[in-house]
Amino acid sequence: MSFNGSGLAGRGGLGLDLGAKGMVKELMTPDECGGIQMMRLVIRPGGSTGESPYNHPEGAKCGTVISGTLGLEVDGVEYRLEPGDSYAFDATSLI
C-alpha cells in the first residue's frame, strides 16, 4: 500500500529469513522514511538473535507481542512477555 506515492504510508515487504536463528524479519516502513524502521518479526519456538549479546550505536527498539510468549533479555535482565505486552529500550542496551 502506498499513499499517493508520497512515501507517507506503505508496506515495505522486504523479508529476510534468518534460517538457523529461527526468525523471519520483514521491513514494514517505506524506504523514504530513513529515521525509523518498523519491522514485523516472526520468531519460531526456540528462535534467538544468537549467542553473543549485541547493540546498536543509536536509536531505540520497541515492539508488541501478538501471539505466543517472548523471552527478552536486555542488559542481562530477562523478561517474559505475553500477548498484548509491549517493550521499549535504548538500542545501546545489550540484547
Side-chain angles (χ1 to χ4, degrees):
M1 169 177 86
S2 183
F3 184 74
N4 294 332
S6 67
L8 295 178
R11 180 169 182 161
L14 299 175
L16 176 63
D17 188 338
L18 299 176
K21 290 187 176 185
M23 295 190 331
V24 176
K25 293 183 174 184
E26 180 183 1
L27 181 63
M28 303 298 288
T29 47
D31 290 340
E32 293 84 3
C33 190
I36 190 170
Q37 286 185 338
M38 181 186 300
M39 301 193 83
R40 176 178 181 257
L41 278 80
V42 176
I43 305 171
R44 295 180 198 97
S48 170
T49 57
E51 295 296 320
S52 300
Y54 72 94
N55 64 357
H56 294 279
E58 60 184 8
K61 301 285 185 178
C62 64
T64 300
V65 177
I66 303 299
S67 65
T69 59
L70 174 66
L72 177 65
E73 183 176 333
V74 180
D75 285 336
V77 178
E78 294 183 19
Y79 302 90
R80 180 183 168 98
L81 304 173
E82 304 286 337
D85 290 344
S86 61
Y87 62 88
F89 55 91
D90 289 330
T92 57
S93 300
L94 286 175
I95 57 173

